[in-house]
Amino acid sequence: MCSFMKAIHLSLAISFVITVSFSNVVHGLDAKAVIDSPLLTEKIGTNRTIKVDLNGNGEFKSVQAAIDSVPEGNSQWIIIHLRKGVFREKVHIPENKPYIFMRGNGRGRTHIVWSQSSSDNVESATFKVESPHFIAFGISFKNEAPTGEAYTSQNQSVAAFVASDKVAFYHCAFYSTHNTLFDYKGRHYYDNCYIQGSVDFIFGRGRSVFHSCEIFVISDKRLAIHGSITAQNRENPTDNSGFVFVKGKVYGTDDVYLGRAKGRYSRTIFAKTYLSRTIVPPGWTNWSCEGTTDYLYQAEYRTHGPGAESYQRAPWSKQLTEEEVAPFLSIDFIDGTEWLPVWL
């Protein structure tokens, strides 16, 4: 009987460990976990799928045609599965088509590509999402327009315009030579994404978390000034927007600032992030921000690597304490427990 009871206790203990481990993955508590497509599909709770295949082995050959087929006011998750290939088209998720999960076969296999420069960032965008409750997984978004003339009507070439609330990108990539990711407004989560650009290439006034993302800086020789990775545009002291980069790494082929102040209340934090020598010693710039720097929130927490030396940092920038950074490291910064299917 004693052996039997021990076996029961051992079985219960194993069951408890398995349950806790699974719960940790689901609720984003296990930092070693990987968020993959099956887990996301499980969490949104649907297998309703529209297949898009360039070779005709699906319901549609065009991504936009598949989106157009989703009914207005859609209230249940629907999967649009983009099979491998290069989809050369502009894609728009309109505001009246929520609950779309756009699932690719991997960012090295599924690509949405367009080539357009414009005086208007939104007009130039290869991909636009203006509906809430949108998820993308395993897709590369690219604007392959050549670098235009600085300060001209052909300067903007956006890869993705994110202009809605409750949007998440997992294992995606964003490519452009300039204004790559227009993170315009709303609460957003980027997990294990790759973002490439040169000048102000992550910009807008979104309230966004970039978790374990790779930021790659390419050269832009048109300008004498150094470029910036971010240009966050928080508008006033009650505005709860901001860009938070947690873990991940920054590297590239040209010198760059972590961010410039796009407005007096600009807020950007890099935490626990590897910074290569591509980051210039001051780290931050108030270029284009008129007046005092007292309201800027350009900050770091435990950044590391050769670009993380703080002794020459801009005097208004902050090196945060554990207590100061805590609200930004929590998924509650974007109210993620209320809407994200899974996070790390």
Side-chain angles (χ1 to χ4, degrees):
M1 179 64 70
C2 184
S3 297
F4 176 76
M5 291 304 295
K6 286 181 178 178
I8 292 293
H9 290 157
L10 178 60
S11 176
L12 289 173
I14 292 172
S15 176
F16 175 77
V17 169
I18 291 172
T19 301
V20 170
S21 298
F22 179 72
S23 176
N24 284 350
V25 171
V26 168
H27 294 95
L29 302 177
D30 186 353
K32 295 181 180 179
V34 174
I35 298 174
D36 59 13
S37 179
L39 179 59
L40 285 168
T41 302
E42 177 186 336
K43 290 304 294 177
I44 65 173
T46 185
N47 284 317
R48 190 167 58 129
T49 302
I50 300 170
K51 296 184 181 67
V52 185
D53 186 280
L54 289 167
N55 298 315
N57 297 317
E59 286 81 10
F60 297 96
K61 292 183 178 181
S62 160
V63 181
Q64 190 62 53
I67 293 164
D68 292 345
S69 75
V70 175
E72 294 184 2
N74 179 52
S75 61
Q76 296 183 333
W77 283 105
I78 186 167
I79 299 168
I80 297 180
H81 179 196
L82 313 186
R83 291 181 168 169
K84 67 178 181 179
V86 178
F87 296 88
R88 295 193 175 276
E89 56 181 305
K90 294 184 76 168
V91 174
H92 177 213
I93 313 286
E95 60 183 11
N96 57 4
K97 297 197 176 185
Y99 296 102
I100 289 176
F101 174 20
M102 204 160 71
R103 187 178 69 195
N105 279 17
R107 67 191 189 199
R109 295 165 61 85
T110 301
H111 311 262
I112 297 176
V113 179
W114 196 247
S115 176
Q116 184 174 348
S117 295
S118 173
S119 59
D120 184 332
N121 279 306
V122 179
E123 173 60 28
S124 75
T126 297
F127 175 73
K128 296 189 289 188
V129 53
E130 297 186 278
S131 173
H133 298 288
F134 172 81
I135 299 171
F137 174 89
I139 301 170
S140 287
F141 304 92
K142 184 175 184 180
N143 190 329
E144 61 181 10
T147 304
E149 291 292 322
Y151 310 118
T152 72
S153 63
Q154 298 304 304
N155 193 38
Q156 282 75 38
S157 52
V158 170
F161 173 63
V162 184
S164 55
D165 197 27
K166 302 177 183 177
V167 173
F169 294 87
Y170 299 89
H171 298 272
C172 290
F174 304 86
Y175 298 89
S176 176
T177 61
H178 190 54
N179 296 42
T180 307
L181 178 55
F182 191 176
D183 194 73
Y184 178 48
K185 64 179 180 178
R187 290 167 290 181
H188 311 145
Y189 182 70
Y190 300 83
D191 180 80
N192 277 276
C193 290
Y194 175 90
I195 307 167
Q196 177 180 294
S198 59
V199 178
D200 299 349
F201 60 95
I202 303 173
F203 66 108
R205 61 172 185 266
R207 177 160 42 130
S208 303
V209 171
F210 298 79
H211 178 267
S212 292
C213 292
E214 288 186 53
I215 312 298
F216 190 80
V217 181
I218 60 175
S219 180
D220 184 342
K221 300 301 184 184
R222 300 171 302 164
L223 306 174
I225 61 171
H226 294 306
S228 300
I229 294 169
T230 65
Q232 204 278 334
N233 190 18
R234 184 167 170 248
E235 296 186 312
N236 57 66
T238 61
D239 184 345
N240 57 12
S241 71
F243 296 163
V244 179
F245 296 82
V246 184
K247 301 183 178 179
K249 62 181 179 180
V250 176
Y251 62 113
T253 62
D254 203 4
D255 294 340
V256 73
Y257 292 102
L258 289 169
R260 77 170 175 97
K262 181 72 172 176
R264 298 179 70 189
Y265 297 90
S266 180
R267 181 163 64 178
T268 303
I269 298 99
F270 281 83
K272 302 180 182 180
T273 305
Y274 172 82
L275 306 180
S276 75
R277 293 194 186 280
T278 197
I279 301 302
V280 295
W284 305 89
T285 177
N286 63 335
W287 175 64
S288 84
C289 176
E290 298 179 359
T292 181
T293 58
D294 292 348
Y295 307 120
L296 300 181
Y297 204 97
Q298 297 179 321
E300 296 168 68
Y301 173 73
R302 289 176 54 188
T303 55
H304 57 283
E309 294 289 344
S310 62
Y311 69 95
Q312 294 185 59
R313 283 298 195 251
W316 65 84
S317 67
K318 306 176 189 299
Q319 296 291 325
L320 301 179
T321 65
E322 184 175 355
E323 183 178 6
E324 289 171 329
V325 80
F328 303 108
L329 296 185
S330 170
I331 201 66
D332 291 338
F333 176 65
I334 56 172
D335 307 314
T337 57
E338 300 174 9
W339 61 273
L340 272 176
V342 63
W343 64 90
L344 292 176

